Amino acid sequence: MARSALLNVMVQAAFKAGKSLARDFGEVQNLQVSLKGPGDYVSQADRKAEKIISDELLKARPTYGFLGEESAKEIKGTDGAHRWIVDPLDGTTNFLHGIPHFAVSIALERNDEIVAGVIYNPATDELYTAERGGGAFLNDRRLRVAARKELTDCVITCGIPHLGRGNHGKFLVELRHVMGEVAGIRRTGSAALDLAYVAAGRFDGYWETGVSAWDIAAGIVLIREAGGWVSDFAGGSNMLETGSVIAANEYVHKALLDVTHRPVPGK
Ligand code: IPD
Ligand code: CA
Ligand code: CA
């Protein structure tokens, strides 16, 4: 599998940040038993990882813009066409609780289109990469979305709103409809890995609303390059702007779009 110079830069940045996160994750596991817990430590680990990534990316391409979750504000690039979109630690709650399901997510946008994405889980050493037109890979293995066509055979992952976040009532209606049609539902706590797992054919589909651009940007190109369909909740392509996403193969995508839009029962 040949990687472009740009993708190599992204992979190196993800590895370097991943190494730092892996070290900090070890310490977080020790801090679980302390009364204060690892909260402050995790915030520091998160910011440190973003600094490592922005240093690497901006060193390699000083004219590109940079949007990162932990940076106070977006850096506008002088080149105007390119922007990095970065979540240094997706799955923070898992990380905080010592659950090894989290990832670094790095995407490259060119003229408003995501053209490359890297998602790396240092705890499992799984590296997901995709470049537009070049396919999607897990380490060196080419990825393809699952082929199942019927919702009754599908395992679907989703994001669940929680304390202080999202529209709980709306989600419960979506869940009620989806749970009655599928073989299983999961909530993993990392939107980036949810998309990567759909690209890898592990999950048959994924839906979530209320996400941010950095949660899903890299995953979008992975899904498309693995032959999947990804849209916003209206079926359009404004995932980054609306913060809503549905991803699956062509058939399951259509079914999920339909089922998640069914009205409130009894209305
Ligand atoms: C969160 C995770 C989670 C999703 C949330 C995100 P964070 O990102 O991706 O799965 O449900 O909407 O905010 O806070 O762990 O970077
Ligand atoms: Ca995130
Ligand atoms: Ca994050």
Side-chain angles (χ1 to χ4, degrees):
M1 172 201 45
R3 285 187 192 137
S4 72
L6 266 175
L7 192 63
N8 269 324
V9 166
M10 295 163 75
V11 168
Q12 288 322 311
F15 278 159
K16 208 165 169 184
K19 218 176 191 176
S20 168
L21 286 174
R23 261 196 312 267
D24 288 332
F25 186 63
E27 190 53 33
V28 163
Q29 286 172 306
N30 295 332
L31 290 171
Q32 293 307 329
V33 289
S34 74
L35 203 55
K36 189 163 162 270
D40 292 345
Y41 194 85
V42 170
S43 310
Q44 271 180 41
D46 205 348
R47 284 196 293 270
K48 191 162 56 176
E50 181 154 316
K51 173 86 171 63
I52 291 170
I53 296 167
S54 64
D55 284 355
E56 286 288 306
L57 297 179
L58 296 175
K59 187 174 72 191
R61 293 292 186 279
T63 61
Y64 287 15
F66 184 91
L67 173 67
E69 181 173 18
E70 300 305 316
S71 313
K73 67 178 189 2
E74 180 171 355
I75 301 170
K76 295 277 179 207
T78 53
D79 115 324
H82 293 91
R83 176 167 75 147
W84 302 111
I85 303 176
V86 170
D87 191 341
L89 172 57
D90 186 62
T92 323
T93 307
N94 288 340
F95 189 91
L96 180 74
H97 285 257
I99 300 166
H101 191 80
F102 55 88
V104 175
S105 176
I106 302 175
L108 176 63
E109 189 184 59
R110 179 178 299 137
N111 298 320
D112 297 325
E113 180 101 17
I114 310 292
V115 293
V118 168
I119 295 173
Y120 177 55
N121 179 353
T124 56
D125 203 23
E126 286 192 335
L127 174 74
Y128 297 85
T129 55
E131 283 185 279
R132 201 173 58 183
F137 295 84
L138 164 50
N139 297 330
D140 288 330
R141 183 166 65 82
R142 181 96 192 228
L143 297 181
R144 184 89 205 147
V145 290
R148 291 180 196 89
K149 290 186 176 174
E150 304 298 332
L151 273 187
T152 47
D153 301 323
C154 288
V155 173
I156 304 294
T157 187
C158 64
I160 303 182
H162 47 86
L163 184 65
R165 285 273 302 265
N167 184 334
H168 295 200
K170 182 174 165 290
F171 173 76
L172 285 173
V173 175
E174 292 160 12
L175 180 66
R176 177 184 171 143
H177 290 305
V178 176
M179 71 199 267
E181 306 265 344
V182 300
I185 297 189
R186 302 289 183 270
R187 195 293 192 250
T188 74
S190 165
L193 287 174
D194 283 337
L195 285 163
Y197 278 33
V198 173
R202 291 175 177 172
F203 290 136
D204 300 287
Y206 162 62
W207 96 95
E208 182 160 6
T209 57
V211 289
S212 299
W214 44 76
D215 298 317
I216 56 171
I220 288 172
V221 64
L222 269 162
I223 294 285
R224 289 184 175 142
E225 288 300 321
W229 284 33
V230 56
S231 77
D232 58 33
F233 238 54
S237 298
N238 300 318
M239 291 78 75
L240 301 191
E241 296 77 15
T242 60
S244 65
V245 57
I246 299 182
N249 69 30
E250 176 186 353
Y251 307 96
V252 175
H253 178 273
K254 193 169 174 302
L256 267 184
L257 194 58
D258 173 51
V259 173
T260 51
H261 282 72
R262 286 193 188 148
V264 178
K267 284 214 171 161

